[in-house]
Each structure stands twice: as structure tokens, then as C-alpha cells.
């Protein structure tokens, strides 16, 4: 009896060891112990012979997917390579999985707010597209982290002021009353506030309120993004302006008028004015085609004009095996002609100054948006700041009753904890 | 008779279970082990977490979340607060609702029982994402719920945009404090980075809307468990209680509920685990907002890893959440244990132990006697 039991164990042990080592091997994956490149490799990798690239895009819809696919196919045919365009359902997550697994898409949309994070994690291959100087300087700046421009701006959007024509005229206002300063904006907002309608409604958070901070000459971080400047006079002045007008009732957040965002408040006519980017055009023509409106540049603050700029670039992966071909594809996709085609197809503004003139003549009503390209400010561009900015956003939701000094002190201490690392 | 050979069978046994072990290992044990390693490392999300560039940093991620004052700890505490109120509201209500529905549907004389069973179970079959989207519309500022409230002259809130806590609103209504200017005895003292005022906010209006949705969805699932339990209840027992002169309520409290005790225990345990892990609703409907009042540990873990690129912290939150769920469900099972049964078990064990020691003593004496006699 005893003997038999021992033999059982003798058989079981190697079996278990075999299973465990099989597990360990699967867990490690193929290139688990390889040395990893740190990302800013000087020499670009190039595929031998025919390259097959994978492109991951976060598409706004059928039109964008089709346009990008067509442009990529053109390049593929001309250059004899292959491109597969994939549409991401959750961009952040799919990119993260690609980077973690060591086989990211070769080329992908990358938001300006993510560049510093991805660059510092070593996920990006830094490159410059042809005629890099032709891109709006503010856009070059938006994708620069630690003195390196990491990728070529794809297109951009800026914030503008949308005005409901009917309400504007009903309040006895004319084109000459379109506000050019913050004082005038507060005045017309007060005039337009009546009954169910609030003068100016926008979404909460840094992506809207930040425009008033920029207009007052402030920013959340200093120029080098090394130190927070939340308690500076300029930042507080911008926030104070928003707070005062919200307290008076002539400004409101979208949530306070039963809307999910500024465009919805504007479309349902609970707002006489809103602050959104050029994407509002699609929403208005689809959901609220009967609302007549005009677009103006955001008024000037004490430090001149101020708007926010949102942009994505063509990111190229550090782990890609065909970086040369990927950059070549970017060059093809960012010629002024191609950018104008994209603009035509799905309404984005070209990031190249060479395309601006043609764009303005094709879409004259977008002039206020494109003007923002000269003075707009990109998003906070430093690694690990996502959580800090998210916290500021949630605090800004209660700006009406907030102690601004205290709020920005907490932002400063959170931000310096991250930036000092 | 080679097949009868016990050694061969042993090997065959391992061979047969090896697919299961392999599958469990690859998809369960290995990922958990990897996640544990990530929570102790500085992995940045690029390349393999077990490559040479990744360093062991001890409990640094856990310190940032639990010890160091800062944003990471503050957010985790906010998510704990939210989930605490969420569990407190959802678990009792969904259990009571499920039990009531089950008792109603177990009535043999009810017409259309099958229809009602299907109807109540239906929400559990529908994907939670689809239901979430539906509730987004129902609870919108100008949605159906507020329209119905409007018939009764109630001006409904803009549910998913409203970050006011229910306890805050209640205190404001009865004049205990003012929402706009909270008293300093509430705002001054702070525990783990949150003031008393923040801890005692209650669930926000937005979170309450999600709670209603979850109760509505899960009650059907648990109703099914209760129904299965009720089918086991012999009719004779109930009839005997009836003969003894017990009224409906007495029969429910003294016959049905004691009979369902194991089911209730199961439902509450599953409820605890499910509610602490809540993720779908937050991901689809609110992304943690408004003002972080629907942030939950599971969503925070996702956000830390995929949005903030802080993989170590994301994994650490997952393990902290596991510890909490484990401790809470163990405590809850201990509190809700059947005291008669466990007393009986203890007594049985005592008897067995005494028997064993008596037997050992007998054997020892026997051997001694043999030794002496030889």
C-alpha cells in the first residue's frame, strides 16, 4: 500500500513541473526577455522589400474611415506596399494593448494631450514630415516634448463663439454688437439671458474654461511644463471672470440647462451662445437643422485673443519594423492637397499653412476657427498629468461656489507632485 | 489487464485534467501572478512586464494609494466612499425585491406565472450596456422620468449631471446645514484626505440613478435563485403551519425565510461581490463624473492603467479591491452563519475528538501491554 502511494507521487511530480514550466513559458511570451528599444532611436527601421503597415484610427464616422482608407490605398499602390486601416473602438485601450504586447500599429492617431505620456514611456518614434515648418507653429509646439517634435500634426480644431441668430436679433443686437472683449461678452450674455434661455452655455472643464485663462495671459503650467502656475494672477483672473458670470446667471454649464454638452444646449435653444469647435457644425446640421447661427472668434481678454487648440498627429510606433515606410505614408497623407481632400470629406481643418488659403475660400464660414490657429493654445503637455487635469475638471464643475484660491492651490500641489518625479 | 494497472490510471487521470489545468493556468493563475508582479513594479505599459527594464519597486504603488497624501489616495478614497453607499443601497434592496417577486410568483394560483417570470428575468438577459444607454435617455434632464415627475408637480433633477449627495440634500432640507456653505465642523476634520463633509455626502443623485438601474436589472436574476429555493419547500410544511393557525406573515417569517436561509446567504454574498466590482455602468454612462461621485474602484483601476498609463497603480487597486471583497464577504458569511448548525458542528467535532483520543489511549495501552508481556 505504502509503496504504491510513493509511485503515484513519483509520477505526479514531473507532470506538475512540466505543466508549470509550460505555463511560465506562455506567460513570458515570445520576446519577453529581449532588450527593448527606448523609443527615441536615431535610426529609423525600414522593412526590406514590401512593407505591410497597420494603421489604427479613431474615426468620427463612415466618411472619415472611407477617406483615410482611400488615401492610404493610393499610397500603397504607388509605393508597392500594403496598408491595413483599422478603426479603433476605444483608442486608448487598443493602443495600450499594442504597446504592452510589443506589436503596436505602425501608424496611429495620437492626441496632443497624450504625446508627452507616450513619448516618455518610449512608445513613439520621433520624426519630422516634409516641410515641417509649414505646420502652424502652435501645432508644432503642441506635439513637442523635451525639445523634440514627436509627430506630424494631422489636422486641428479651435474653439469659437456660436451665436443663435434668432435670439440675437430678438434681443435687438446687430453684427456690430458681436463681442470682441470679455466685458462685452458678459454684457451681451446678460442681455440674452431671458426666461429659459441662458446667455452663454458651455461644457465644464479645462477644455472650455481654459480659453478664458489663456485670454488673461495665464496657463496651468509654466512655459517648460516643469512647474504648475495655477495660483498665478492671470489664471485666477480668468477663473474669477467665469465664476462671477455664472453666479450672476448669464453664463451656465451645459448640465445646468439639462444638456450633455454645449452643442446640445445650443441646439435645444436653452443657450443663446455657446463655445465649441468646428465639430459643432455636424451636430447642428444632423440634430438641430432648424437652428440658425453664426460663428465668431472668441473675444479678447486683457492679454489679447485666446482660444484653445485641439489636435491629433500621425504617431509612429517605436516598435514598428517599417518606420521609414510609415513616415513616407504620413508624407503622402499630409500634403496640402490631401489635407484639403480630408477637409472636404469629413470637415477637419488642415494643419498646414499652405492649405489654409484654399480652405478658407472653400469654407469661408470657418474663418473664425482657422484664425485661432495663429494664437490658440494646445492641451496640457506633460507626462502623468491626466489624473491631475481630471481632478481639476471635477473641481471646475463646482466653480460657481468654489474657493478659487484653494482650488488652484490643490491643483498646484497635485501637479508639482507629478512633475517633480 | 493493463488498464486495471493503478499506475497507468494515475497517469491517465493527470492527462485528462491537464487541459483544464492548462486553461485555468494560462487564463487565471498566470494573469493573476502577472498582475501581482505589475502592482509591485514600475512597468510603464510598453513591452513585456517581465523584461529587464522593469524594476521591482516594492509596495510603492500601494503606498501611493493608501499612505501618501496625494491625488491617488484621494481618488481611491472617493471611490470607496461611493461604492460604500452604493453597496449599502443596492444589496438590501435588490435582495428584498428579488425575494418579494419570487414569493409572489411562487403562488400556485397566480395566472400567467410564466409570463411574469420571463418579464422579471428579462433585464438580466439583456446586455447591461444596452440597458445603461436606455437609462441615460430615461434619466436625461428632459427625459421620461422627469416628465412623469412633472405630472405630480415635481421638478426632477438633471440626474446624471447632479453631483449633490443625498445626505447633503437631506440635511439642507431639514435645515441642519446649508449646501452652499457647509459648516466648519464638517469640513475641517479630515480622514485619509477627505473631509467629514465629503465622507458623509451620501450617494450623489447621479449614483442613485445608477443604483435604481442596477436594482431593477439584478432583482430578476436573484428572483430565479429564490424561486428555485422555494420549489424545494415542501407543501406539507406550509400546510402544517396553516393547521397550526399561522397567518400569512407568520408563515413567511417562520417557515419560508428560515427555509431560504442558504439562498439568502448566497444572494447577499453574490450581491456584495457584484456591487463592489461595479464597472459597466460607470464606463458607459458617467465615466466617474459628475465631480467623481460615480467613481468606483474597478473603474478607477481601469482609468489608472489605460488612461493615465499608471499600470502599477491600476493593478494595485485591483488587489486592494480583492482584499476588501474577501474580508467583507468572509465577515458577512460569519455574521449570517446558521448559529444552530455551527454550534452542532462544533459539538460534533468535540465528540469526535474525544472519541479519537479515547481510541488512541486504548491503542497506546494495548501496545504497552503487548510490550510488557513480550
Amino acid at each position: 500500500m505504502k509503496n504504491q502511494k510513493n509511485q503515484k507521487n513519483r509520477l505526479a511530480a514531473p507532470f506538475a513541473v512540466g505543466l508549470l514550466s509550460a505555463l511560465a513559458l506562455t506567460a513570458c511570451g515570445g520576446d519577453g526577455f529581449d532588450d527593448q528599444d527606448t523609443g527615441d532611436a536615431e535610426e529609423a527601421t525600414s522593412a526590406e522589400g514590401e512593407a505591410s503597415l497597420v494603421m489604427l484610427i479613431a474615426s468620427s464616422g463612415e466618411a472619415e474611415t472611407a477617406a483615410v482608407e482611400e488615401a492610404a490605398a493610393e499610397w500603397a499602390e504607388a509605393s508597392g506596399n500594403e496598408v491595413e486601416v483599422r478603426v479603433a473602438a476605444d483608442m486608448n485601450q487598443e493602443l495600450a494593448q499594442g504597446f504592452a504586447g510589443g506589436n503596436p500599429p505602425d501608424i496611429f492617431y495620437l492626441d496632443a494631450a497624450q504625446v508627452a505620456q507616450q513619448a516618455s514611456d518610449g512608445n513613439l518614434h520621433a520624426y519630422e514630415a516634409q516641410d515641417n515648418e509649414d505646420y502652424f507653429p502652435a501645432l508644432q509646439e503642441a506635439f513637442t516634448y523635451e525639445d523634440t517634435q514627436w509627430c506630424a500634426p494631422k489636422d486641428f480644431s479651435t474653439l469659437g463663439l456660436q451665436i443663435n441668430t434668432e435670439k440675437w436679433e430678438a434681443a435687438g443686437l446687430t453684427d456690430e454688437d458681436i463681442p470682441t472683449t470679455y466685458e462685452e461678452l458678459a454684457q451681451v450674455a446678460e442681455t440674452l439671458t431671458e426666461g429659459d434661455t441662458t446667455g452663454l452655455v458651455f461644457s465644464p472643464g479645462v477644455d472650455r474654461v481654459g480659453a478664458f485663462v489663456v485670454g488673461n495671459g495665464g496657463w496651468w503650467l509654466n512655459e517648460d511644463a516643469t512647474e504648475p502656475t495655477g495660483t498665478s494672477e492671470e489664471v485666477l483672473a480668468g477663473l474669477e471672470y467665469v465664476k462671477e458670470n455664472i453666479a450672476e446667471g448669464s453664463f451656465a454649464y451645459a448640465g445646468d440647462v439639462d444638456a450633455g454638452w454645449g452643442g446640445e444646449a445650443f441646439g435645444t435653444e436653452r443657450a443663446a451662445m455657446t463655445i465649441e469647435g468646428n465639430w459643432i457644425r455636424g451636430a447642428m446640421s444632423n440634430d438641430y437643422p432648424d437652428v440658425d447661427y453664426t460663428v465668431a472668434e472668441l473675444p479678447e481678454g486683457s492679454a489679447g485673443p485666446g482660444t484653445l487648440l485641439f489636435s491629433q498627429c500621425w504617431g509612429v510606433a517605436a516598435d514598428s519594423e517599417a518606420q521609414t515606410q510609415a513616415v513616407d505614408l504620413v508624407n503622402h497623407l499630409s500634403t496640402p492637397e490631401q489635407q484639403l481632400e480630408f477637409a472636404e470629406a469629413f470637415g477637419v481643418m488642415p494643419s498646414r499653412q499652405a492649405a489654409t488659403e484654399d480652405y478658407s475660400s472653400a469654407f469661408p464660414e470657418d474663418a473664425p476657427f482657422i484664425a485661432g490657429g495663429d494664437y490658440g493654445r494646445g492641451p496640457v503637455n506633460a507626462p502623468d498629468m491626466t489624473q491631475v487635469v481630471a481632478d481639476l475638471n471635477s473641481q471646475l464643475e463646482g466653480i460657481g461656489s468654489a474657493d478659487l484660491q484653494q482650488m488652484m492651490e490643490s491643483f498646484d500641489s497635485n501637479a508639482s507632485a507629478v512633475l517633480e518625479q | 489487464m493493463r488498464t486495471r494497472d493503478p499506475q497507468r490510471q494515475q497517469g491517465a487521470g493527470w492527462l485528462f485534467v491537464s487541459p483544464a489545468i492548462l486553461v485555468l493556468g494560462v487564463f487565471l493563475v498566470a494573469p493573476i501572478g502577472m498582475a501581482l508582479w505589475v502592482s509591485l513594479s514600475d512597468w510603464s505599459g510598453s513591452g513585456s512586464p517581465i523584461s529587464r527594464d522593469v524594476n521591482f519597486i516594492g509596495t510603492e504603488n500601494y503606498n501611493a494609494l493608501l499612505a501618501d497624501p496625494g491625488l491617488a489616495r484621494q481618488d481611491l478614497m472617493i471611490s470607496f466612499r461611493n461604492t460604500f453607499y452604493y453597496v449599502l443601497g443596492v444589496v438590501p434592496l435588490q435582495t428584498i425585491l428579488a425575494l418579494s417577486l419570487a414569493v409572489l410568483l411562487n403562488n400556485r394560483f397566480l395566472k400567467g406565472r410564466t409570463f411574469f417570470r420571463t418579464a422579471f428575468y428579462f433585464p438580466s438577459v439583456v446586455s447591461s450596456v444596452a440597458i445603461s444607454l436606455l437609462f441615460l435617455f430615461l434619466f436625461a434632464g428632459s427625459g421620461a422620468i422627469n416628465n412623469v415627475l412633472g405630472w405630480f408637480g415635481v421638478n426632477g433633477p438633471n440626474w446624471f449631471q447632479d453631483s449633490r449627495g443625498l445626505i447633503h440634500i437631506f440635511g439642507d432640507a431639514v435645515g441642519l446645514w446649508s449646501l452652499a456653505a457647509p459648516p466648519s465642523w464638517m469640513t475641517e476634520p479630515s480622514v485619509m484626505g477627505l473631509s467629514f463633509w465629503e465622507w458623509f455626502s451620501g450617494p450623489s443623485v447621479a449614483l442613485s440613478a445608477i443604483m435604481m438601474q442596477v436594482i431593477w436589472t439584478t432583482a430578476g436574476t436573484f428572483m430565479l435563485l429564490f424561486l428555485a429555493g422555494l420549489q424545494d419547500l415542501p407543501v406539507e410544511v406550509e400546510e402544517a403551519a396553516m393547521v397550526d393557525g399561522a397567518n400569512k406573515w407568520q408563515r413567511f417569517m417562520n417557515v419560508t425565510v428560515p427555509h431560504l436561509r442558504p439562498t439568502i446567504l448566497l444572494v447577499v454574498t453574490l450581491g456584495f461581490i457584484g456591487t463592489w466590482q461595479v464597472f459597466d455602468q460607470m464606463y458607459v454612462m458617467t465615466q466617474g463624473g459628475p465631480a467623481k461621485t460615480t467613481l468606483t474602484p474597478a473603474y478607477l483601476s481601469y482609468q489608472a492603467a489605460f488612461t493615465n498609463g499608471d499600470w502599477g497603480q491600476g493593478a494595485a487597486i485591483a488587489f486592494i479591491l480583492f482584499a476588501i471583497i474577501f474580508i467583507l464577504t468572509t465577515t458577512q458569511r460569519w455574521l449570517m452563519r446558521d448559529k444552530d448548525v455551527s454550534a452542532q458542528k462544533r459539538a460534533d467535532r468535540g465528540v469526535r475528538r474525544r472519541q479519537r483520543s479515547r481510541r488512541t489511549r486504548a491503542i497506546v495501552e494495548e501496545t504497552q501491554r503487548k510490550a510488557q508481556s513480550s
Side-chain angles (χ1 to χ4, degrees):
Chain A
M1 195 62 194
K2 205 179 167 192
N3 192 21
Q4 200 184 65
K5 203 178 167 193
N6 266 352
Q7 274 178 347
K8 270 183 198 170
N9 282 344
R10 230 176 285 148
L11 244 181
F15 212 98
V17 170
L19 267 181
L20 279 179
S21 44
L23 282 183
L25 279 177
T26 26
C28 294
D31 55 353
F33 293 98
D34 286 354
D35 245 356
Q36 299 279 327
D37 285 325
T38 38
D40 44 359
E42 293 78 19
E43 200 116 334
T45 57
S46 175
E48 281 177 28
E50 188 181 289
S52 73
L53 298 176
V54 173
M55 182 197 274
L56 188 70
I57 66 171
S59 177
S60 62
E62 198 56 42
E64 180 165 0
T65 311
V68 175
E69 270 174 356
E70 195 189 313
E74 268 172 33
W75 173 82
E77 199 163 318
S79 67
N81 296 302
E82 271 179 46
V83 191
E84 185 197 341
V85 178
R86 285 187 202 152
V87 179
D90 187 332
M91 192 71 184
N92 282 341
Q93 188 200 321
E94 286 175 42
L95 265 185
Q97 276 169 358
F99 291 138
N103 60 340
D106 302 277
I107 176 170
F108 46 85
Y109 283 13
L110 185 65
D111 196 89
Q114 290 269 319
V115 167
Q117 179 77 53
Q118 300 295 3
S120 70
D121 284 347
N123 290 327
L124 294 185
H125 164 67
Y127 70 92
E128 278 187 12
Q130 276 167 7
D131 298 329
N132 191 54
E133 306 75 47
D134 184 34
Y135 290 115
F136 280 98
L139 289 174
Q140 295 179 33
E141 182 62 30
F143 294 103
T144 300
Y145 166 66
E146 293 199 331
D147 299 328
T148 309
Q149 188 188 331
W150 289 85
C151 48
K154 185 168 76 71
D155 45 40
F156 76 106
S157 331
T158 60
L159 294 177
L161 182 70
Q162 288 80 33
I163 302 167
N164 183 315
T165 315
E166 200 180 311
K167 290 188 187 289
W168 187 261
E169 283 165 2
L173 297 166
T174 62
D175 281 356
E176 275 155 38
D177 296 312
I178 287 178
T180 53
T181 65
Y182 286 177
E183 290 76 40
E184 287 174 17
L185 179 67
Q187 273 168 18
V188 293
E190 204 184 329
T191 317
L192 288 163
T193 304
E194 201 189 355
D196 244 7
T197 310
T198 308
L200 175 66
V201 179
F202 46 90
S203 311
V206 288
D207 287 343
R208 298 293 176 279
V209 177
F212 295 103
V213 171
V214 174
N216 274 296
W219 189 240
W220 315 107
L221 305 179
N222 65 358
E223 277 308 314
D224 305 331
T226 50
E227 266 175 48
T229 51
T231 43
S232 66
E233 235 171 78
E234 294 86 2
V235 174
L236 288 172
L239 296 178
E240 188 64 40
Y241 172 78
V242 175
K243 180 183 170 173
E244 266 171 24
N245 284 293
I246 284 185
E248 270 177 33
S250 48
F251 287 13
Y253 280 150
D256 298 329
V257 297
D258 297 347
W261 62 294
E264 191 184 340
F266 191 64
T268 53
E269 304 204 64
R270 295 287 306 273
M273 299 185 288
T274 189
I275 297 175
E276 288 291 339
N278 38 330
W279 53 79
I280 197 177
R281 290 206 186 283
M284 292 302 287
S285 58
N286 286 334
D287 299 340
Y288 312 102
D290 300 333
V291 179
D292 209 9
Y293 65 99
T294 53
V295 180
E297 282 182 57
L298 283 187
E300 287 183 26
S302 57
T307 188
L308 297 181
L309 186 146
F310 306 95
S311 180
Q312 297 200 316
C313 74
W314 297 106
V316 172
D319 279 346
S320 167
E321 279 161 11
Q323 285 160 347
T324 317
Q325 284 83 354
V327 172
D328 196 41
L329 173 56
V330 172
N331 283 330
H332 172 79
L333 293 171
S334 24
T335 57
E337 298 76 36
Q338 184 59 53
Q339 290 206 334
L340 283 169
E341 261 177 51
F342 283 156
E344 199 90 39
F346 51 95
V348 292
M349 298 200 296
S351 54
R352 284 190 182 279
Q353 287 166 318
T356 304
E357 206 168 305
D358 287 336
Y359 182 84
S360 300
S361 56
F363 305 94
E365 69 279 9
D366 271 354
F369 290 124
I370 210 129
D374 291 330
Y375 55 83
R377 170 110 216 197
V380 170
N381 190 8
D384 298 324
M385 281 292 288
T386 323
Q387 198 177 12
V388 179
V389 172
D391 186 66
L392 180 60
N393 276 335
S394 94
Q395 293 205 46
L396 283 172
E397 282 181 37
I399 194 173
S401 59
D403 179 339
L404 295 178
Q405 179 73 29
Q406 206 181 330
M407 182 166 105
M408 294 321 292
E409 273 170 16
S410 98
F411 169 79
D412 277 5
S413 72
N414 289 335
S416 29
V418 169
L419 295 170
E420 274 163 19
Q421 274 177 6
Chain B
M1 295 295 273
R2 290 187 59 140
T3 45
R4 288 276 170 83
D5 186 347
Q7 283 180 21
R8 283 280 301 179
Q9 286 199 343
Q10 186 66 30
W14 279 104
L15 198 67
F16 283 133
V17 291
S18 62
I21 293 182
L22 205 69
V23 166
L24 284 182
V26 171
F27 293 106
L28 209 70
V29 181
I32 292 175
M34 293 266 267
L36 185 63
W37 160 246
V38 168
S39 81
L40 300 170
S41 77
D42 64 352
W43 186 51
S44 67
S46 76
S48 165
I50 35 185
S51 68
R52 247 171 279 156
D53 307 335
V54 180
N55 306 307
F56 176 76
I57 54 167
T59 55
E60 211 170 280
N61 288 319
Y62 292 90
N63 285 348
L65 288 165
L66 297 173
D68 309 338
L71 205 50
R73 187 179 77 168
Q74 180 207 307
D75 280 358
L76 186 67
M77 291 306 139
I78 290 178
S79 76
F80 282 164
R81 176 201 66 189
N82 297 338
T83 318
F84 173 75
Y85 289 117
Y86 178 82
V87 173
L88 208 63
V90 170
V91 174
L93 284 178
Q94 79 185 8
T95 312
I96 292 171
L97 184 62
L99 183 57
S100 323
L101 288 177
V103 170
L104 278 178
L105 292 187
N106 198 42
N107 185 342
R108 259 168 297 276
F109 304 107
L110 181 75
K111 275 190 186 150
R113 269 200 301 172
T114 331
F115 168 76
F116 283 116
R117 282 184 190 177
T118 318
F120 290 137
Y121 190 62
F122 197 65
S124 314
V125 186
V126 180
S127 113
S128 65
V129 173
I131 293 179
S132 299
L133 287 176
L134 186 76
F135 268 69
L136 267 186
F137 288 107
L138 285 179
F139 281 94
S142 48
I145 302 277
N146 278 356
N147 272 329
V148 173
L149 287 177
W151 297 344
F152 304 100
V154 181
N155 192 8
N158 190 358
W159 296 85
F160 288 117
Q161 311 278 341
D162 200 329
S163 61
R164 292 173 303 160
L166 291 191
I167 298 181
H168 282 176
I169 295 177
F170 177 77
D172 190 62
V174 298
L176 205 55
W177 53 60
S178 149
L179 258 180
S184 60
W185 58 270
M186 286 290 276
T187 50
E188 293 287 313
S190 89
V191 179
M192 297 291 273
L194 291 194
S195 67
F196 274 20
W197 177 251
E198 287 169 293
W199 280 113
F200 292 105
S201 67
S204 70
V205 176
L207 190 63
S208 317
I210 296 182
M211 284 159 69
M212 283 186 242
Q213 183 213 322
V214 170
I215 292 169
W216 178 76
T217 321
T218 49
T221 321
F222 293 136
M223 175 198 77
L224 213 62
L225 292 179
F226 281 128
L227 263 179
L230 283 171
Q231 312 266 299
D232 278 349
L233 179 62
V235 190
E236 298 81 45
V237 179
E238 196 145 350
E239 276 171 359
M242 242 186 277
V243 172
D244 284 347
N247 64 25
K248 261 192 164 165
W249 177 248
Q250 283 172 327
R251 283 200 313 264
F252 176 72
M253 287 309 286
N254 298 319
V255 178
T256 314
V257 170
H259 174 78
L260 286 178
R261 191 184 190 100
T263 319
I264 295 176
L265 184 66
L266 176 70
V267 165
V268 173
T269 311
L270 289 178
F272 257 119
I273 297 173
T275 45
W276 272 98
Q277 289 182 335
V278 61
F279 175 82
D280 304 9
Q281 284 79 10
M282 282 67 196
Y283 180 73
V284 176
M285 307 211 284
T286 58
Q287 289 85 43
K292 295 187 179 175
T293 57
T294 62
L295 203 62
T296 62
Y299 187 72
L300 189 67
S301 165
Y302 167 83
Q303 216 180 26
F306 286 98
T307 317
N308 306 347
D310 217 329
W311 296 82
Q313 271 185 21
I317 294 172
F319 279 98
I320 294 170
L321 181 60
F322 167 75
I324 287 181
I325 294 178
F326 185 79
I327 292 168
L328 281 178
T329 45
T330 313
T331 321
Q332 170 251 334
R333 288 188 78 92
W334 182 76
L335 285 174
M336 283 180 68
R337 74 196 185 282
D338 193 328
K339 292 190 182 73
D340 301 337
V341 170
S342 45
Q344 183 64 42
K345 268 188 189 157
R346 224 183 354 256
D348 286 351
R349 264 203 302 276
V351 169
R352 252 178 286 147
R353 203 178 305 126
R354 272 196 298 282
Q355 281 175 345
R356 228 184 353 252
S357 58
R358 212 177 298 144
R359 218 179 302 139
T360 335
R361 218 169 25 241
I363 293 170
V364 170
E365 280 165 11
E366 176 84 359
T367 3
Q368 279 172 350
R369 217 182 31 241
K370 274 183 183 166
Q372 280 167 0
S373 63
S374 68

